[in-house]
Amino acid sequence: QVQLVESGGGLVQAGGSLPLSCTASTNIFGFATAGWYRQAPGKERKLVASISPYTSAANYGDSVKGRFTISRDNVKKMVYLQMTSLKPEDTAVYYCNLVSNVGGRKDYWGQGTQVTVSS
């Protein structure tokens, strides 16, 4: 069973920084694309950033480019999101995501961690 556990959320002032981390308990981590999504109240869940398993090529949502950095450690089975220059509109629940393409696409999700940016 795949488990993803996020940590690092909290309250931060606008302009501040906050790191998130996600620990995976699965042997497929090294073969799976990892990512972060976020969902604000009343809105759809959207991609924040993703990172490929072998080359660590990163992809970012337009609203966070230049401010957020995603990284991963395949040995520790962890994925990180460093958030800087935070804005009130970054307030959301942030979810860790793992995508396996073995035998067809399957998405795994963490329970989410709240990030609140005060103005």
Side-chain angles (χ1 to χ4, degrees), residues 2 7 9 17-18 24-25 27 31 34 49 52 54-56 66 69 73 79 83 100 102 104 115:
V2 176
S7 61
S17 299
L18 198 65
S25 62
N27 290 329
F31 311 104
S52 65
Y54 306 116
T55 66
S56 290
T69 302
D73 186 326
V79 58
M83 304 185 291
S100 170
V102 177
V115 172

Side-chain angles (χ1 to χ4, degrees), residues 13-18 66-68 83-88 90 117:
Q13 287 189 331
S17 299
L18 198 65
R67 300 188 299 121
F68 292 9
M83 304 185 291
T84 64
S85 302
L86 282 160
K87 305 174 182 179
D90 293 319
V117 184

Side-chain angles (χ1 to χ4, degrees), residues 44-100:
E44 294 183 349
R45 190 175 297 189
K46 290 187 176 180
L47 174 71
V48 175
S50 64
I51 186 166
S52 65
Y54 306 116
T55 66
S56 290
N59 177 52
Y60 295 94
D62 288 341
S63 62
V64 306
K65 284 180 181 177
R67 300 188 299 121
F68 292 9
T69 302
I70 189 170
S71 60
R72 66 188 293 161
D73 186 326
N74 287 344
V75 174
K76 294 182 179 179
K77 299 179 185 178
M78 295 187 71
V79 58
Y80 308 95
L81 185 69
Q82 179 63 45
M83 304 185 291
T84 64
S85 302
L86 282 160
K87 305 174 182 179
E89 50 264 43
D90 293 319
T91 296
V93 177
Y94 284 70
Y95 295 91
C96 182
N97 168 261
L98 206 61
V99 179
S100 170

Side-chain angles (χ1 to χ4, degrees), residues 11 14 19 36-37 48 53 66-67 87 89 92 107 109:
L11 175 65
W36 291 91
Y37 285 71
V48 175
R67 300 188 299 121
K87 305 174 182 179
E89 50 264 43
D107 284 70
W109 297 93

